[in-house]
Amino acid sequence: MRKTKIVATLGPASEHEVAALHAAGVAVARINCSHLSTEDVGRIVRATRQQSSEIGILVDIQGPKLRLIDGIDATGPEISLYQSGHGTHGEASAHVGFDPEAIGIRPGQRILVNDGRIVLEALEVGPHKVRAKVVTPGVAQGRRGVNLPDTDVRVQMYSDKDRADIAAAVEAGADWIALSFVQRPQDVVEARAMAGANIRIISKIERPQALEVLDEICAVSDGVMAARGDLGVELPFARLPLIQKQIADSAMRAGIVSICATEMLESMITGTRPTRAEVSDVTNAVRDGFDAVMLSAETAIGHAPVTTVSAMSAILTEADSVDRVRSPFADNNPDLAAVAAAASALASRLSAKAILAVTYTGHNAELVAACRPPVPIIAATPNKDVATRLNLRYGVATVVATRPPGTDEAIAHAVDAAKGAGLCSDGDRLVVCLSRTSPRSMTDTIYVYDV
């Protein structure tokens, strides 16, 4: 069983091909709210679930993305940026969708446009306007992104649309939401209050300010994403591989999910096979310790989404067969991880086929996955929502099985479900972990079970 998971973005090329994507190896389907109305968000979540009841669903909230309103011609020595509705769009000026002064731009700070292809430096900031020196000239169309790497951006984290999109995702039954442009732990706490307890939260790490408090963000998140698109603009691109590793390391210490994203198989938007550099990039993400890798435009608008997923799966299968990342989670959390770490060590010592985590809420399986055992993890749960949510966890395969109060009966039901799914066979040795106290209690018992 492949351990590293695939997240695939749905779009015009793939939103009706969910079953085929899942069969090719996709564990979680991503729905990007940046290009959708709130009504579309709920509709696509429900349509995705109808196409595959087993796939996980992640809804990516747009967040405070700063953009140009109209085109920009920054080929002179200076240019003025006006908030939309203010100033005139004449020579050497453009409109943006924010108030430069209100969000905190100060003289001397950089303003990057169109993925950093145009570089400006703020000279004078006033109400609804910033006058800037052109450092790297260029021309860009409207709606291009604006990045402020030197600015602690003071902007409302969640727009009315973001709040509505979160509510729609929860109502429609999504498993995860991803928060864009998280800068501080409080951003995650605020989203959790809106989302409630039945959905998990991914914090997208896209700004230098988030890296300064990365461990604190991990402590309040269920997962983090190395969103390399904006990170590669706001930080020197040569630092990106080291920052990527930093994000994976922080997530492993906290025992939460990590996703590596952006341009992983970019050439396959139009091509039929990945480049050698892309193969190495995906493999290095496995070596860094990420739970999952993500496809964006490759599956949203690419010419062959299923072929792209198959290529990604082949790369991951090869990488998983060789590389094993040692997680620091158990050492950092000795009490919390005691049973899970013991089960992982025992499975390794006995060369077990798998670890069977009999779980009601999924917490048992999450702790085992955080320890990164050398064998697959079979999570048996009576809750279908828990099963789809666990799809994003490294090394976890899920089955739905009833959970009787008795320990022997619970194990028997879980093993039967695992056999039915082809995850184990007669003669296999399993390390089983579950609670003897009650189905909802913390795991307290480990068994060696020969199927």
Side-chain angles (χ1 to χ4, degrees):
M1 185 186 81
R2 178 168 46 77
K3 296 179 181 178
T4 306
K5 303 303 182 69
I6 299 174
V7 180
T9 303
L10 301 184
S14 57
E15 65 179 85
H16 302 297
E17 302 294 331
V18 175
L21 292 173
H22 182 56
V26 172
V28 175
R30 170 181 175 249
I31 297 168
N32 186 0
C33 294
S34 297
H35 310 296
L36 301 172
S37 68
T38 297
E39 292 74 17
D40 285 338
V41 172
R43 175 184 61 79
I44 295 174
V45 170
R46 287 186 288 270
T48 300
R49 190 69 81 203
Q50 288 172 357
Q51 292 180 69
S52 174
S53 62
E54 297 179 349
I55 202 166
I57 299 176
L58 183 153
V59 174
D60 197 330
I61 307 303
Q62 178 176 307
K65 180 73 173 180
L66 307 179
R67 295 187 184 276
L68 291 171
I69 297 299
D70 40 35
I72 184 172
D73 183 351
T75 52
E78 292 185 8
I79 191 166
S80 293
L81 302 179
Y82 292 93
Q83 183 183 11
S84 180
H86 297 268
T88 58
H89 187 107
E91 188 175 352
S93 69
H95 284 106
V96 292
F98 54 90
D99 182 344
E101 182 181 56
I103 67 171
I105 297 177
R106 297 292 177 261
Q109 294 180 342
R110 289 171 296 161
I111 303 168
L112 310 180
V113 180
N114 194 19
D115 287 338
R117 294 178 178 87
I118 300 172
V119 180
L120 313 175
E121 181 183 315
L123 297 174
E124 180 184 358
V125 184
H128 314 295
K129 174 189 176 181
V130 56
R131 182 172 63 86
K133 177 174 71 174
V134 176
V135 178
T136 302
V139 177
Q141 298 176 339
R143 303 302 300 165
R144 299 298 183 183
V146 177
N147 293 85
L148 306 172
D150 307 323
T151 304
D152 186 3
V153 177
R154 298 195 303 262
V155 65
Q156 180 181 346
M157 179 64 185
Y158 303 107
S159 65
D160 290 344
K161 180 182 183 301
D162 292 334
R163 293 174 184 275
D165 289 348
I166 290 173
V170 172
E171 191 276 331
D175 300 296
W176 297 78
I177 57 172
L179 309 177
S180 298
F181 300 101
V182 169
Q183 290 193 105
R184 53 189 70 86
Q186 184 57 36
D187 296 336
V188 186
V189 174
E190 184 180 351
R192 199 176 293 283
M194 288 186 278
N198 293 326
I199 197 165
R200 296 295 187 259
I201 295 177
I202 297 281
S203 295
K204 294 170 67 176
I205 307 303
E206 302 176 88
R207 307 215 64 227
Q209 289 78 7
L211 290 169
E212 295 172 4
V213 288
L214 179 58
D215 287 344
E216 291 88 341
I217 289 173
C218 285
V220 295
S221 304
D222 301 299
V224 287
M225 181 188 296
R228 303 184 303 180
D230 282 279
L231 266 180
V233 173
E234 299 217 355
L235 292 159
F237 58 79
R239 289 182 57 201
L240 200 54
L242 297 178
I243 292 167
Q244 173 178 312
K245 183 69 166 68
Q246 178 188 350
I247 293 169
D249 286 346
S250 185
M252 282 192 289
R253 285 195 300 272
I256 63 173
V257 165
S258 59
I259 305 171
C260 188
T262 315
E263 296 181 348
M264 302 218 74
L265 296 183
E266 188 83 354
S267 70
M268 292 194 74
I269 294 174
T270 56
T272 57
R273 57 181 290 158
T275 67
R276 279 80 168 166
E278 289 168 341
V279 173
S280 295
D281 182 37
V282 174
T283 301
N284 285 332
V286 175
R287 291 172 174 164
D288 285 344
F290 284 94
D291 289 75
V293 292
M294 192 172 95
L295 296 165
S296 300
E298 300 98 323
T299 50
I301 60 172
H303 79 106
V306 174
T307 300
T308 302
V309 170
S310 296
M312 177 71 88
S313 183
I315 299 167
L316 295 176
T317 298
E318 194 68 28
D320 279 346
S321 70
V322 176
D323 295 293
R324 181 190 169 199
V325 176
R326 185 183 182 278
S327 170
F329 174 71
D331 292 337
N332 283 23
N333 303 272
D335 293 337
L336 181 63
V339 176
S344 299
L346 185 60
S348 177
R349 190 171 296 116
L350 296 178
S351 299
K353 174 72 173 182
I355 295 173
L356 176 62
V358 181
T359 180
Y360 198 93
T361 64
H363 187 56
N364 177 4
E366 290 171 333
L367 290 177
V368 176
C371 294
R372 297 297 177 93
V375 301
I377 302 159
I378 305 168
T381 175
N383 190 326
K384 184 68 175 177
D385 293 339
V386 169
T388 53
R389 189 175 73 225
L390 286 172
N391 281 342
L392 194 49
R393 278 284 181 172
Y394 176 89
V396 175
T398 60
V399 293
V400 176
T402 55
R403 174 58 162 101
T407 300
D408 291 343
E409 295 88 348
I411 294 175
H413 283 228
V415 169
D416 285 346
K419 288 174 66 177
L423 298 174
C424 66
S425 305
D426 288 342
D428 287 340
R429 173 161 288 183
L430 305 178
V431 171
V432 182
C433 48
L434 79 169
S435 169
R436 287 190 304 170
T437 308
S438 80
R440 294 176 180 267
S441 295
M442 290 288 289
T443 301
D444 57 17
T445 305
I446 300 172
Y447 291 88
V448 177
Y449 187 94
D450 291 322
V451 180

